[in-house]
Amino acid sequence: MATLKVRKLKSFPAEISVPGDKSISHRAAMFAGMADGTTVIEGFLPSEDCLCTVKAMEAMGAVVEPLEELEGVGLVKMAITGHGPKLKAPSGPIDCGNSGTTIRLLSGILAGQDFTAEMIGDASLSKRPMKRVADPLALMGAKVEGQGEKICAPLRITGSPLTAITYTLPMASAQVKSAILLAGMFAPGKTTVIEPVATRNHTERIMSHFGVKWLRDGNAISVYGGQVPRATDIVVPGDISSAAFWMVAAAASPGQQITLKNVGLNPTRTGLINVLIRMGAQINSSETDSSGEPRGNVVVHGGELNATVIGGAEIPNVIDELPILAVAGALARGNTLIKDARELRVKETDRIAAVAENLRRMGVTVIEYEDGMEIIGGAKLTGATITTYHDHRIAMAFAIAGMFAEGETIIEGSECINTSYPGFELDLALFQKSDGGPPPIRVLSRVPRDVASRLREG
Ligand code: S3P
């Protein structure tokens, strides 16, 4: 088990470039793998989660050529030659690791194939509910077999000729919406998903990017079956969910300023910026659009933060940022309330319980509710030993908390950070140096042939 030791914040880098967006990287690999030619993906996130998706597409006939590696981060540019939407049966189980996005979105793709495939995952993924995708995919005609009432992994999916459906999501979930839209690409006619609350729309945007026609009517999103994604190069922006950690560190540091370079600014993901502005931070961003996703530099000026209430329709937009927003709440004046966030209980771990437990260890009073928590802000944080429960966002949120605490904070089980942010420790080190010098230049290099074959073997 790896541990990460964090000390009080010493310096502030002027700028940071975070690695690629996790949600977009998964989708780019899936659509490229189902496309009619070769797609070059740049800015790819080479985290364990996204590499599971790449390996899955490779196991089902896509050809992956690694192109460039970023020092300290990994493979950031690759060419994927698609097998077309009808994939090849994999020779063994597909390992989805810790990745809910891999298993749920692939479920939609597998539902439309001519074979049976099994998906497995780590201990955390194997406890997460897959019934939410199994139910609609079974309605469309696929056979989905999992473990127990929650239909957990290992998940066996037998594809079949699918029937288009109209389905109202029982929970706000972009993963479930995406699984149904992906399956809809294999069903003759129009498949419609109605979402009660808007969730991230990366699947819709990437469908447009790959020439797959879909339409939106209010909160109903429809796709027509029988379309073949057209291979189109894509540049993935930096992940706002990774930038969030440094944004909160800056927002809670009066007099400090940081620029996050090239961050994804899709409005279904920028809720964190709105919440931090509400709490008193000054944040400016400049926006451009490329590969169908808005992006830009975000400048955060720190100040004294005030408590806020986070709930309702805002929740899906900040769902992955709630652990770090809870830390922001602890650093703010007043009591911050997070509500309507029951979904946090079925993430990589029960994030309500994990955040409450670890904040308490650092000296913060937290009242836990079934759908959220109230954080009593303004206490002096003390260094503590943090349990990550193998959840990357718990590990990183508490590394930031550690920078505001007296004494040392020890993050036990920090290896899970690699599921979404390779290079996090190097970026964290920029805040712990006493000289505060410029950030090191990371070298981008072509992947030599022998490394390319090693990467392919995993
Ligand atoms: C994701 C959707 C969200 C999010 C996850 C990534 C996606 O999950 O928490 O990290 O890429 O579609 P849900 O759709 O289950 O809320």
Side-chain angles (χ1 to χ4, degrees):
M1 187 172 67
T3 56
L4 174 62
K5 293 186 175 166
V6 185
R7 280 157 289 115
K8 217 174 165 72
L9 214 156
K10 279 212 181 106
S11 56
F12 241 86
E15 56 182 56
I16 284 193
S17 297
V18 293
D21 186 275
K22 180 158 82 71
S23 293
I24 302 173
S25 295
H26 279 298
R27 287 157 173 85
M30 288 179 193
F31 276 83
M34 292 193 294
D36 60 357
T38 302
T39 297
V40 174
I41 308 174
E42 218 173 307
F44 183 80
L45 171 67
S47 70
E48 284 168 6
D49 269 21
C50 296
L51 290 174
C52 283
T53 294
V54 171
K55 284 181 195 156
M57 297 312 289
E58 207 172 21
M60 293 191 286
V63 178
V64 181
E65 188 191 351
L67 295 177
E68 281 176 7
E69 266 190 326
L70 184 61
E71 191 184 357
V73 176
L75 180 66
V76 291
K77 186 171 175 184
M78 66 182 78
I80 298 186
T81 303
H83 192 269
K86 287 286 186 183
L87 300 166
K88 182 185 102 185
S91 58
I94 297 171
D95 188 356
C96 301
N98 187 245
S99 176
T101 309
T102 306
I103 195 167
R104 296 210 177 103
L105 270 61
L106 276 186
S107 296
I109 295 174
L110 290 174
Q113 305 300 323
D114 302 325
F115 53 81
T116 300
E118 185 179 46
M119 291 186 286
I120 57 171
D122 69 6
S124 145
L125 188 64
S126 303
K127 282 194 217 120
R128 297 180 64 187
M130 297 302 141
K131 185 169 158 46
R132 51 181 63 197
V133 288
D135 284 350
L137 295 178
L139 280 176
M140 295 178 81
K143 188 169 162 199
V144 185
E145 297 160 286
Q147 319 304 309
E149 246 173 60
K150 293 193 287 175
I151 322 275
C152 295
L155 200 62
R156 266 170 76 84
I157 302 200
T158 304
S160 65
L162 299 179
T163 312
I165 56 167
T166 294
Y167 192 79
T168 302
L169 293 179
M171 74 291 290
S173 169
Q175 292 180 351
V176 180
K177 169 179 70 176
S178 303
I180 301 167
L181 292 174
L182 284 161
M185 286 173 53
F186 297 90
K190 186 167 116 179
T191 292
T192 301
V193 184
I194 300 166
E195 48 176 5
V197 188
T199 64
R200 64 189 67 192
N201 63 6
H202 301 301
T203 299
E204 294 91 308
R205 284 173 181 264
I206 212 159
M207 286 197 292
S208 300
H209 187 72
F210 279 82
V212 174
K213 294 194 176 54
W214 64 278
L215 49 100
R216 169 181 280 281
D217 181 6
N219 55 356
I221 302 129
S222 305
V223 67
Y224 294 96
Q227 303 185 68
V228 177
R230 209 177 45 222
T232 317
D233 294 351
I234 184 164
V235 184
V236 179
D239 197 326
I240 190 166
S241 299
S242 298
F245 300 107
W246 316 123
M247 285 166 67
V248 167
S253 300
Q256 296 292 359
Q257 179 183 315
I258 195 167
T259 301
L260 283 313
K261 307 269 284 185
N262 184 37
V263 176
L265 293 173
N266 178 321
T268 61
R269 294 283 301 283
T270 49
L272 167 99
I273 294 180
N274 305 335
V275 174
L276 288 178
I277 290 175
R278 216 158 66 214
M279 294 178 84
Q282 223 195 85
I283 304 182
N284 304 305
S285 56
S286 56
E287 201 178 301
T288 54
D289 201 288
S290 154
S291 301
E293 287 278 357
R295 62 198 69 205
N297 294 345
V298 178
V299 185
V300 183
H301 303 267
E304 297 288 346
L305 294 182
N306 294 309
T308 189
V309 178
I310 309 169
E314 185 172 47
I315 290 297
N317 200 317
V318 292
I319 191 74
D320 291 339
E321 287 68 71
L322 289 171
I324 187 62
L325 280 171
V327 170
L331 298 171
R333 235 189 329 238
N335 300 352
T336 290
L337 178 64
I338 297 173
K339 58 179 188 172
D340 308 317
R342 199 169 279 106
E343 277 293 303
L344 283 183
R345 297 224 180 252
V346 290
K347 291 293 174 190
E348 284 81 333
T349 187
D350 176 343
R351 285 186 176 160
I352 295 176
V355 166
E357 163 67 19
N358 285 314
L359 278 178
R360 285 182 192 128
R361 287 187 197 175
M362 298 189 82
V364 180
T365 302
V366 183
I367 304 160
E368 198 180 317
Y369 301 110
E370 191 40 44
D371 69 340
M373 65 192 106
E374 186 169 356
I375 303 129
I376 314 304
K380 282 224 169 310
L381 301 193
T382 47
T385 297
I386 299 301
T387 305
T388 62
Y389 303 98
H390 204 71
D391 184 326
H392 51 132
R393 300 209 195 277
I394 299 297
M396 291 185 278
F398 282 89
I400 302 304
M403 298 204 299
F404 290 86
E406 276 313 322
E408 192 177 62
T409 295
I410 298 171
I411 315 284
E412 275 185 348
S414 59
E415 67 281 352
C416 57
I417 290 173
N418 285 329
T419 63
S420 74
Y421 195 158
F424 176 82
E425 280 193 46
L426 292 175
D427 288 342
L428 181 73
L430 302 175
F431 294 81
Q432 314 251 283
K433 300 193 303 185
S434 35
D435 60 2
I441 309 284
R442 287 192 186 159
V443 181
L444 188 65
S445 50
R446 289 206 152 271
V447 176
R449 280 199 182 284
D450 58 331
V451 176
S453 55
R454 187 161 48 77
L455 282 167
R456 213 167 278 136
E457 282 152 20

